[in-house]
Structures are given as C-alpha cells and as structure tokens.
Coordinates of all heavy atoms in Angstrom, one line a residue:
S1 N 0.8 -1.2 0.0 CA 0.0 0.0 0.0 C 0.8 1.3 0.0 O 0.4 2.3 -0.4 CB -1.0 0.0 1.2 OG -0.3 0.3 2.4
A2 N 2.1 1.1 0.5 CA 3.0 2.3 0.5 C 3.3 2.8 -0.9 O 3.4 3.9 -1.2 CB 4.3 2.0 1.3
S3 N 3.5 1.8 -1.8 CA 3.8 2.2 -3.2 C 2.7 2.8 -3.9 O 2.8 3.7 -4.7 CB 4.4 1.0 -4.0 OG 3.3 0.0 -4.0
S4 N 1.5 2.4 -3.6 CA 0.3 2.9 -4.3 C 0.1 4.4 -3.8 O -0.3 5.2 -4.5 CB -0.9 2.1 -4.0 OG -1.2 2.1 -2.6
S5 N 0.4 4.7 -2.5 CA 0.2 6.0 -2.0 C 1.2 7.0 -2.6 O 1.0 8.1 -2.8 CB 0.2 6.1 -0.5 OG 1.5 5.7 0.0
S6 N 2.5 6.4 -2.8 CA 3.5 7.3 -3.4 C 3.2 7.6 -4.9 O 3.4 8.7 -5.4 CB 4.9 6.7 -3.2 OG 4.9 5.5 -4.0
S7 N 2.6 6.6 -5.6 CA 2.2 6.8 -7.0 C 1.1 7.9 -7.1 O 1.0 8.6 -8.0 CB 1.8 5.5 -7.7 OG 0.7 5.0 -7.1
V8 N 0.2 7.9 -6.1 CA -0.9 8.8 -6.0 C -0.3 10.2 -5.8 O -0.7 11.2 -6.5 CB -1.9 8.5 -4.9 CG1 -2.9 9.6 -4.8 CG2 -2.6 7.2 -5.3
T9 N 0.7 10.4 -4.9 CA 1.2 11.7 -4.7 C 2.0 12.2 -5.9 O 2.0 13.4 -6.2 CB 2.2 11.7 -3.4 OG1 3.1 10.7 -3.6 CG2 1.4 11.4 -2.2
R10 N 2.6 11.3 -6.7 CA 3.4 11.7 -7.8 C 2.4 12.2 -8.9 O 2.7 13.1 -9.6 CB 4.1 10.5 -8.4 CG 5.3 10.1 -7.5 CD 6.5 9.8 -8.3 NE 7.6 9.2 -7.4 CZ 8.6 10.0 -7.0 NH1 8.6 11.2 -7.3 NH2 9.5 9.4 -6.2
K11 N 1.2 11.6 -9.0 CA 0.2 12.0 -10.0 C -0.3 13.4 -9.6 O -0.7 14.2 -10.5 CB -1.0 11.0 -10.1 CG -0.6 9.7 -10.7 CD -1.7 8.8 -10.8 CE -1.3 7.4 -11.4 NZ -2.4 6.5 -11.4
I12 N -0.4 13.6 -8.3 CA -0.9 15.0 -7.9 C 0.1 16.1 -8.1 O -0.3 17.2 -8.3 CB -1.4 14.8 -6.4 CG1 -2.5 13.9 -6.2 CG2 -1.7 16.2 -5.8 CD1 -2.9 13.5 -4.8
M13 N 1.4 15.8 -8.1 CA 2.4 16.7 -8.2 C 2.3 17.5 -9.6 O 2.1 16.9 -10.6 CB 3.8 16.1 -8.2 CG 4.2 15.7 -6.8 SD 5.8 14.9 -6.7 CE 6.9 16.1 -7.2
S14 N 2.5 18.8 -9.5 CA 2.4 19.6 -10.8 C 3.8 19.4 -11.5 O 4.7 18.9 -11.0 CB 2.1 21.0 -10.4 OG 3.3 21.6 -9.8
E15 N 3.8 19.9 -12.8 CA 5.0 19.8 -13.5 C 6.1 20.7 -12.9 O 7.2 20.3 -12.9 CB 4.7 20.3 -15.0 CG 3.8 19.4 -15.8 CD 4.5 18.0 -15.9 OE1 5.7 17.9 -16.2 OE2 3.7 17.0 -15.8
K16 N 5.7 21.8 -12.3 CA 6.7 22.7 -11.6 C 7.3 21.9 -10.4 O 8.5 22.0 -10.2 CB 5.9 23.9 -11.1 CG 6.2 25.2 -12.0 CD 5.6 26.4 -11.2 CE 5.8 27.6 -12.1 NZ 5.2 28.8 -11.4
Q17 N 6.5 21.3 -9.7 CA 7.0 20.5 -8.5 C 7.9 19.4 -9.0 O 9.0 19.2 -8.4 CB 5.8 19.9 -7.7 CG 5.0 21.0 -7.0 CD 3.8 20.4 -6.3 OE1 3.1 19.5 -7.0 NE2 3.4 20.8 -5.2
K18 N 7.6 18.8 -10.1 CA 8.4 17.7 -10.6 C 9.8 18.3 -11.0 O 10.8 17.7 -10.8 CB 7.7 17.0 -11.8 CG 6.6 16.1 -11.4 CD 6.0 15.5 -12.6 CE 4.7 14.8 -12.3 NZ 4.0 14.2 -13.4
A19 N 9.7 19.4 -11.7 CA 10.9 20.0 -12.2 C 11.8 20.5 -11.0 O 13.1 20.3 -11.1 CB 10.6 21.2 -13.0
R20 N 11.2 21.0 -10.0 CA 12.0 21.4 -8.8 C 12.6 20.2 -8.1 O 13.8 20.3 -7.7 CB 11.1 22.1 -7.8 CG 10.7 23.5 -8.1 CD 9.9 24.2 -7.0 NE 9.4 25.5 -7.4 CZ 8.2 25.9 -7.2 NH1 7.3 25.2 -6.6 NH2 7.8 27.1 -7.7
L21 N 11.8 19.1 -8.1 CA 12.4 17.9 -7.5 C 13.6 17.4 -8.2 O 14.6 17.0 -7.7 CB 11.3 16.8 -7.4 CG 11.6 15.6 -6.6 CD1 11.8 15.9 -5.1 CD2 10.5 14.6 -6.7
L22 N 13.4 17.4 -9.6 CA 14.6 16.9 -10.4 C 15.7 17.8 -10.3 O 16.9 17.4 -10.2 CB 14.1 16.9 -11.9 CG 13.3 15.7 -12.3 CD1 12.7 15.8 -13.7 CD2 14.0 14.4 -12.2
L23 N 15.5 19.1 -10.2 CA 16.6 20.1 -10.1 C 17.3 19.9 -8.8 O 18.5 20.0 -8.7 CB 16.0 21.5 -10.2 CG 16.9 22.6 -10.6 CD1 17.4 22.3 -12.0 CD2 16.2 24.0 -10.6
E24 N 16.5 19.7 -7.7 CA 17.2 19.4 -6.4 C 18.0 18.2 -6.4 O 19.1 18.2 -5.9 CB 16.1 19.4 -5.3 CG 16.6 19.3 -3.9 CD 17.5 20.5 -3.5 OE1 17.3 21.6 -4.0 OE2 18.4 20.2 -2.7
K25 N 17.5 17.1 -7.0 CA 18.3 15.9 -7.1 C 19.5 16.1 -7.9 O 20.6 15.6 -7.5 CB 17.5 14.8 -7.8 CG 16.4 14.2 -6.9 CD 15.7 13.1 -7.6 CE 14.6 12.5 -6.7 NZ 13.8 11.4 -7.4
K26 N 19.4 16.9 -8.9 CA 20.6 17.2 -9.8 C 21.6 18.0 -9.0 O 22.9 17.7 -9.0 CB 20.2 17.9 -11.0 CG 21.3 18.2 -12.0 CD 20.8 18.9 -13.2 CE 21.9 19.3 -14.2 NZ 21.5 20.0 -15.3
R27 N 21.2 19.0 -8.2 CA 22.1 19.8 -7.4 C 22.8 18.9 -6.4 O 24.0 19.1 -6.1 CB 21.3 20.9 -6.7 CG 21.0 22.1 -7.6 CD 20.6 23.3 -6.8 NE 19.9 24.3 -7.6 CZ 18.7 24.8 -7.5 NH1 18.0 24.4 -6.4 NH2 18.3 25.7 -8.3
Q28 N 22.0 18.0 -5.7 CA 22.6 17.2 -4.7 C 23.7 16.3 -5.3 O 24.7 16.1 -4.7 CB 21.5 16.4 -4.0 CG 20.6 17.1 -3.1 CD 19.5 16.3 -2.5 OE1 19.2 15.2 -3.0 NE2 18.9 16.8 -1.5
Q29 N 23.3 15.8 -6.5 CA 24.3 14.9 -7.1 C 25.6 15.7 -7.5 O 26.7 15.1 -7.3 CB 23.7 14.3 -8.4 CG 24.5 13.2 -9.1 CD 23.8 12.6 -10.3 OE1 22.8 13.1 -10.8 NE2 24.4 11.5 -10.8
E30 N 25.4 16.9 -8.1 CA 26.6 17.7 -8.4 C 27.4 18.0 -7.2 O 28.6 18.0 -7.2 CB 26.1 18.9 -9.2 CG 25.6 18.7 -10.6 CD 25.1 19.9 -11.2 OE1 24.9 21.0 -10.5 OE2 24.8 19.8 -12.4
A31 N 26.7 18.3 -6.1 CA 27.4 18.7 -4.9 C 28.2 17.5 -4.4 O 29.4 17.6 -3.9 CB 26.4 19.2 -3.8
E32 N 27.7 16.3 -4.4 CA 28.3 15.1 -4.0 C 29.6 14.8 -4.9 O 30.6 14.5 -4.4 CB 27.3 13.9 -4.1 CG 27.9 12.6 -3.5 CD 28.1 12.7 -2.0 OE1 27.4 13.4 -1.3 OE2 29.1 12.0 -1.5
E33 N 29.4 15.0 -6.2 CA 30.5 14.8 -7.1 C 31.6 15.8 -6.9 O 32.8 15.4 -6.9 CB 30.0 14.9 -8.6 CG 29.2 13.7 -9.0 CD 28.6 13.9 -10.4 OE1 28.9 14.9 -11.1 OE2 27.8 13.1 -10.8
A34 N 31.2 17.1 -6.6 CA 32.2 18.1 -6.3 C 33.0 17.8 -5.0 O 34.2 17.9 -4.9 CB 31.6 19.5 -6.2
K35 N 32.3 17.2 -4.0 CA 32.9 16.8 -2.8 C 33.9 15.7 -3.0 O 35.0 15.7 -2.5 CB 31.8 16.4 -1.8 CG 32.3 16.1 -0.4 CD 31.2 15.7 0.5 CE 31.7 15.4 1.9 NZ 30.6 15.0 2.8
K36 N 33.5 14.7 -3.8 CA 34.4 13.6 -4.0 C 35.6 14.1 -4.8 O 36.7 13.6 -4.6 CB 33.7 12.6 -4.9 CG 32.7 11.8 -4.1 CD 32.0 10.7 -4.9 CE 31.0 9.9 -4.1 NZ 30.2 9.0 -4.9
A37 N 35.4 15.0 -5.8 CA 36.6 15.6 -6.6 C 37.5 16.3 -5.6 O 38.7 16.2 -5.8 CB 36.0 16.5 -7.7
R38 N 37.0 17.1 -4.7 CA 37.8 17.8 -3.7 C 38.6 16.8 -2.9 O 39.8 17.0 -2.6 CB 37.0 18.7 -2.9 CG 36.6 20.0 -3.5 CD 36.0 21.0 -2.6 NE 34.9 20.5 -1.8 CZ 33.6 20.6 -2.2 NH1 33.3 21.1 -3.3 NH2 32.6 20.1 -1.4
Q39 N 38.0 15.7 -2.5 CA 38.7 14.7 -1.7 C 39.8 14.1 -2.5 O 40.9 13.8 -1.9 CB 37.7 13.7 -1.2 CG 36.8 14.1 -0.1 CD 35.7 13.1 0.3 OE1 35.4 12.2 -0.5 NE2 35.1 13.3 1.4
R40 N 39.5 13.8 -3.7 CA 40.6 13.2 -4.6 C 41.7 14.1 -4.8 O 42.9 13.7 -4.7 CB 40.0 12.8 -6.0 CG 39.2 11.5 -6.0 CD 38.9 11.1 -7.4 NE 38.3 12.1 -8.2 CZ 36.9 12.2 -8.4 NH1 36.1 11.2 -7.8 NH2 36.4 13.0 -9.1
T41 N 41.4 15.4 -5.0 CA 42.5 16.4 -5.2 C 43.3 16.6 -3.9 O 44.5 16.7 -3.9 CB 41.8 17.8 -5.6 OG1 41.1 17.6 -6.7 CG2 42.9 18.8 -5.8
S42 N 42.6 16.6 -2.8 CA 43.3 16.7 -1.5 C 44.2 15.6 -1.3 O 45.4 15.7 -0.8 CB 42.3 16.8 -0.4 OG 42.9 16.8 0.8
K43 N 43.8 14.3 -1.6 CA 44.6 13.2 -1.5 C 45.8 13.2 -2.3 O 46.9 12.9 -1.9 CB 43.7 11.9 -1.8 CG 44.3 10.6 -1.5 CD 43.3 9.5 -1.8 CE 44.0 8.1 -1.7 NZ 43.0 7.0 -2.1
L44 N 45.6 13.7 -3.6 CA 46.8 13.8 -4.5 C 47.8 14.8 -4.0 O 49.0 14.6 -4.1 CB 46.3 14.2 -5.9 CG 45.7 13.1 -6.7 CD1 45.1 13.7 -8.0 CD2 46.7 12.0 -7.0
I45 N 47.3 15.9 -3.5 CA 48.2 17.0 -3.0 C 49.0 16.4 -1.8 O 50.2 16.6 -1.7 CB 47.4 18.2 -2.5 CG1 46.9 18.9 -3.8 CG2 48.2 19.2 -1.7 CD1 45.9 20.1 -3.5
K46 N 48.3 15.7 -0.9 CA 49.0 15.1 0.3 C 50.1 14.1 -0.2 O 51.2 14.0 0.3 CB 48.0 14.5 1.2 CG 47.2 15.4 2.0 CD 46.2 14.8 2.9 CE 45.3 15.8 3.5 NZ 44.2 15.2 4.3
Q47 N 49.7 13.3 -1.2 CA 50.6 12.3 -1.7 C 51.9 12.9 -2.4 O 53.0 12.6 -2.1 CB 49.9 11.5 -2.8 CG 50.6 10.3 -3.3 CD 49.8 9.5 -4.3 OE1 48.8 9.9 -4.7 NE2 50.3 8.3 -4.6
D48 N 51.6 14.0 -3.1 CA 52.7 14.8 -3.8 C 53.6 15.4 -2.7 O 54.8 15.4 -2.8 CB 52.2 15.9 -4.7 CG 51.5 15.3 -6.0 OD1 51.8 14.1 -6.2 OD2 50.9 16.0 -6.7
K49 N 53.0 15.9 -1.7 CA 53.8 16.6 -0.6 C 54.7 15.5 0.1 O 55.8 15.8 0.3 CB 52.8 17.2 0.4 CG 53.6 17.9 1.6 CD 52.6 18.5 2.5 CE 53.3 19.1 3.7 NZ 52.4 19.6 4.7
Y50 N 54.1 14.3 0.3 CA 54.9 13.3 1.0 C 56.1 12.9 0.1 O 57.2 12.7 0.6 CB 54.0 12.1 1.2 CG 54.7 10.9 1.8 CD1 55.0 10.9 3.2 CD2 55.2 9.9 1.0 CE1 55.7 9.8 3.8 CE2 55.9 8.8 1.6 CZ 56.1 8.8 2.9 OH 56.8 7.8 3.5
V51 N 55.8 12.7 -1.2 CA 56.9 12.4 -2.2 C 58.0 13.5 -2.2 O 59.2 13.2 -2.1 CB 56.4 12.2 -3.6 CG1 57.5 12.0 -4.6 CG2 55.5 10.9 -3.6
R52 N 57.6 14.7 -2.3 CA 58.6 15.8 -2.3 C 59.4 15.8 -1.0 O 60.7 16.0 -1.1 CB 57.9 17.2 -2.4 CG 57.4 17.5 -3.8 CD 57.0 19.0 -3.8 NE 56.1 19.4 -2.8 CZ 54.7 19.4 -3.0 NH1 54.2 18.9 -4.0 NH2 54.0 19.8 -2.0
E53 N 58.8 15.6 0.1 CA 59.5 15.6 1.4 C 60.4 14.3 1.6 O 61.5 14.4 2.2 CB 58.6 15.7 2.5 CG 57.9 17.1 2.6 CD 56.8 17.2 3.7 OE1 56.4 16.1 4.2 OE2 56.4 18.3 4.0
N54 N 60.0 13.2 1.0 CA 60.7 12.0 1.4 C 61.5 11.3 0.3 O 62.3 10.4 0.5 CB 59.7 11.0 1.9 CG 59.1 11.4 3.2 OD1 59.7 11.7 4.2 ND2 57.8 11.6 3.2
D55 N 61.3 11.8 -1.0 CA 62.1 11.2 -2.1 C 63.4 12.0 -2.3 O 63.3 13.2 -2.7 CB 61.2 11.2 -3.3 CG 61.9 10.4 -4.5 OD1 63.1 9.9 -4.3 OD2 61.3 10.4 -5.6
E56 N 64.5 11.5 -2.1 CA 65.8 12.2 -2.3 C 66.1 12.5 -3.7 O 66.8 13.4 -4.1 CB 67.0 11.5 -1.6 CG 67.3 10.2 -2.2 CD 66.5 9.0 -1.7 OE1 65.7 9.2 -0.8 OE2 66.7 7.9 -2.2
N57 N 65.4 11.8 -4.6 CA 65.7 12.0 -6.1 C 64.7 13.0 -6.7 O 64.8 13.3 -7.9 CB 65.5 10.7 -6.9 CG 66.5 9.7 -6.4 OD1 67.7 10.0 -6.1 ND2 66.2 8.4 -6.4
W58 N 63.8 13.5 -5.9 CA 62.8 14.5 -6.4 C 63.5 15.9 -6.7 O 64.2 16.4 -5.8 CB 61.7 14.6 -5.5 CG 60.6 15.5 -6.0 CD1 59.5 15.1 -6.8 CD2 60.4 16.9 -5.8 NE1 58.7 16.2 -7.1 CE2 59.3 17.3 -6.6 CE3 61.2 17.9 -5.2 CZ2 58.8 18.6 -6.6 CZ3 60.7 19.2 -5.3 CH2 59.5 19.6 -6.1
T59 N 63.2 16.4 -7.9 CA 63.7 17.8 -8.2 C 62.5 18.5 -8.8 O 61.6 18.0 -9.4 CB 64.9 17.8 -9.2 OG1 64.4 17.1 -10.3 CG2 66.0 17.0 -8.6
S60 N 62.6 19.8 -8.6 CA 61.5 20.7 -9.2 C 61.7 20.8 -10.7 O 62.9 20.8 -11.1 CB 61.5 22.1 -8.5 OG 62.7 22.7 -8.8
Q61 N 60.7 20.8 -11.5 CA 60.8 20.9 -12.9 C 59.8 21.8 -13.5 O 58.9 22.3 -12.8 CB 60.5 19.5 -13.5 CG 61.5 18.4 -13.0 CD 61.1 17.0 -13.6 OE1 60.0 16.9 -14.0 NE2 62.0 16.1 -13.5
Q62 N 60.0 22.2 -14.7 CA 59.0 23.1 -15.4 C 57.7 22.3 -15.5 O 57.7 21.1 -15.7 CB 59.5 23.4 -16.8 CG 60.7 24.5 -16.8 CD 61.0 24.8 -18.2 OE1 61.0 23.9 -19.1 NE2 61.3 26.1 -18.5
S63 N 56.6 23.0 -15.6 CA 55.3 22.4 -15.8 C 55.2 21.9 -17.2 O 55.9 22.4 -18.1 CB 54.2 23.4 -15.5 OG 54.2 24.3 -16.5
A64 N 54.3 20.9 -17.4 CA 54.2 20.4 -18.7 C 53.7 21.4 -19.8 O 54.1 21.4 -20.9 CB 53.2 19.3 -18.7
A65 N 53.0 22.4 -19.3 CA 52.5 23.5 -20.2 C 53.7 24.3 -20.7 O 53.7 24.7 -21.9 CB 51.5 24.4 -19.5
C66 N 54.6 24.7 -19.9 CA 55.8 25.4 -20.3 C 56.7 24.7 -21.3 O 57.2 25.2 -22.2 CB 56.6 25.8 -19.1 SG 55.8 27.1 -18.1
V67 N 56.8 23.4 -20.9 CA 57.7 22.6 -21.8 C 57.0 22.4 -23.2 O 57.7 22.5 -24.2 CB 57.9 21.1 -21.1 CG1 58.6 20.2 -22.1 CG2 58.7 21.3 -19.8
K68 N 55.7 22.3 -23.2 CA 55.0 22.1 -24.5 C 55.1 23.3 -25.3 O 55.3 23.2 -26.5 CB 53.5 21.7 -24.2 CG 52.7 21.4 -25.4 CD 51.3 21.0 -25.1 CE 50.5 20.7 -26.3 NZ 49.2 20.4 -26.0
S69 N 54.9 24.5 -24.7 CA 54.9 25.7 -25.5 C 56.3 26.1 -25.9 O 56.5 26.9 -26.9 CB 54.3 26.9 -24.7 OG 55.1 27.2 -23.6
G70 N 57.3 25.7 -25.1 CA 58.6 26.1 -25.5 C 59.1 27.4 -24.9 O 60.3 27.8 -25.0
T71 N 58.2 28.1 -24.3 CA 58.6 29.4 -23.7 C 58.1 29.4 -22.3 O 57.1 28.8 -21.9 CB 57.9 30.6 -24.4 OG1 56.5 30.4 -24.4 CG2 58.4 30.7 -25.9
G72 N 58.9 30.2 -21.4 CA 58.5 30.3 -20.0 C 57.3 31.3 -19.9 O 56.9 31.9 -20.9
I73 N 56.9 31.4 -18.7 CA 55.8 32.4 -18.4 C 56.5 33.8 -18.2 O 57.3 33.9 -17.3 CB 55.0 32.0 -17.2 CG1 54.3 30.7 -17.5 CG2 54.0 33.1 -16.9 CD1 53.6 30.0 -16.3
N74 N 56.2 34.7 -19.0 CA 56.8 36.0 -18.9 C 56.0 36.9 -17.9 O 54.7 37.0 -17.9 CB 56.8 36.8 -20.2 CG 57.8 36.2 -21.2 OD1 58.8 35.6 -20.8 ND2 57.5 36.2 -22.5
T75 N 56.7 37.5 -16.9 CA 56.1 38.3 -16.0 C 56.3 39.8 -16.4 O 57.0 40.1 -17.3 CB 56.7 38.1 -14.6 OG1 58.1 38.5 -14.6 CG2 56.6 36.6 -14.1
F76 N 55.6 40.6 -15.7 CA 55.7 42.1 -15.9 C 57.2 42.5 -15.7 O 57.7 43.3 -16.5 CB 54.8 42.8 -15.0 CG 54.8 44.3 -15.1 CD1 53.9 44.9 -16.1 CD2 55.6 45.1 -14.4 CE1 53.9 46.2 -16.3 CE2 55.6 46.5 -14.6 CZ 54.8 47.0 -15.5
R77 N 57.8 42.0 -14.7 CA 59.2 42.4 -14.5 C 60.1 41.9 -15.5 O 61.1 42.5 -15.9 CB 59.7 41.8 -13.1 CG 59.0 42.5 -11.9 CD 59.6 42.1 -10.6 NE 59.0 42.8 -9.5 CZ 58.8 42.4 -8.3 NH1 59.3 41.2 -8.0 NH2 58.4 43.1 -7.4
D78 N 59.9 40.6 -16.1 CA 60.6 40.2 -17.2 C 60.5 41.1 -18.4 O 61.5 41.4 -19.1 CB 60.2 38.8 -17.7 CG 60.5 37.7 -16.6 OD1 61.4 37.9 -15.8 OD2 59.8 36.7 -16.6
K79 N 59.3 41.7 -18.6 CA 59.1 42.5 -19.8 C 59.7 43.9 -19.6 O 60.2 44.5 -20.5 CB 57.6 42.5 -20.0 CG 57.2 42.9 -21.4 CD 55.7 42.6 -21.6 CE 55.3 42.8 -23.1 NZ 53.9 42.6 -23.3
Y80 N 59.4 44.5 -18.4 CA 59.8 45.9 -18.2 C 60.9 46.2 -17.3 O 61.2 47.3 -17.0 CB 58.5 46.6 -17.8 CG 57.4 46.6 -18.8 CD1 56.3 45.8 -18.6 CD2 57.5 47.3 -20.0 CE1 55.3 45.7 -19.5 CE2 56.5 47.3 -20.9 CZ 55.4 46.5 -20.7 OH 54.4 46.4 -21.6
G81 N 61.4 45.2 -16.6 CA 62.5 45.4 -15.6 C 62.0 45.6 -14.2 O 60.8 45.6 -14.0
E82 N 62.9 45.8 -13.4 CA 62.5 45.8 -11.9 C 61.8 47.2 -11.6 O 61.0 47.2 -10.8 CB 63.8 45.7 -11.1 CG 63.6 45.4 -9.6 CD 62.9 44.0 -9.4 OE1 63.2 43.1 -10.1 OE2 62.1 43.9 -8.4
N83 N 62.3 48.3 -12.2 CA 61.7 49.6 -11.8 C 60.9 50.1 -12.9 O 61.1 50.2 -14.0 CB 62.8 50.6 -11.4 CG 63.5 50.1 -10.1 OD1 62.8 49.6 -9.3 ND2 64.8 50.4 -10.0

C-alpha cells in the first residue's frame, strides 16, 4: 500500500513541482561529485607533498605546459625590468 500512496502523490504533483524535485536531485548529485573531486584532489596533494619531502631523487621541474609551449611564463618584471 505504500507504493500505491506514493504513486498517487506523484500524480498529484504539478509539472513545476516535478521540475523542482529533479533540479534538487541534480544539485545534490553535483554537490556530491564536487565533494568527491575535492577529496581526490586533496589526497593527491598530500601524496605529492609526501613524495617531495621523502624522495631524495625528487627535483622541481618546469610544468608540462611550459615545456610544451617552449617558452616560459613572462612576468611584468621580465618584460619591463625591476623599476
């Protein structure tokens, strides 16, 4: 009888209510995905930090974007000097 009562309430819901419900479910799902993405990023950052601190062979390098373009990132000081 519980399923029949829920189907009755769904029939009574207006299209606006259905749209709001769908929108709310979508927002909750996106929020959950964003939370998981933040957790993954945080985990990667912690892992990278551990490697930097504990791996004696680790050295800083240019980012892949700089290597790909072939030029470094020019700053204002590079372009116009210190003063």
Side-chain angles (χ1 to χ4, degrees):
S1 78
S3 62
S4 64
S5 66
S6 66
S7 64
V8 170
T9 54
R10 295 221 184 263
K11 289 180 182 176
I12 295 173
M13 287 176 63
S14 70
E15 291 300 316
K16 260 188 181 178
Q17 289 172 323
K18 290 178 188 176
R20 283 187 190 134
L21 190 64
L22 283 173
L23 204 62
E24 186 58 33
K25 283 183 183 178
K26 185 178 176 185
R27 280 194 196 128
Q28 287 176 347
Q29 187 178 13
E30 288 174 351
E32 187 66 31
E33 288 174 6
K35 185 177 179 181
K36 287 179 183 177
R38 284 192 301 273
Q39 288 174 341
R40 281 193 302 269
T41 303
S42 176
K43 188 176 174 183
L44 282 173
I45 289 171
K46 287 177 185 173
Q47 188 178 12
D48 289 348
K49 181 180 178 186
Y50 178 83
V51 169
R52 283 194 307 271
E53 290 174 348
N54 296 303
D55 185 3
E56 65 276 356
N57 296 324
W58 185 88
T59 58
S60 61
Q61 299 173 346
Q62 287 181 323
S63 71
C66 288
V67 173
K68 184 177 179 181
S69 68
T71 60
I73 298 171
N74 290 329
T75 63
F76 184 84
R77 288 184 178 156
D78 291 336
K79 202 170 189 179
Y80 300 106
E82 194 67 32
N83 292 327

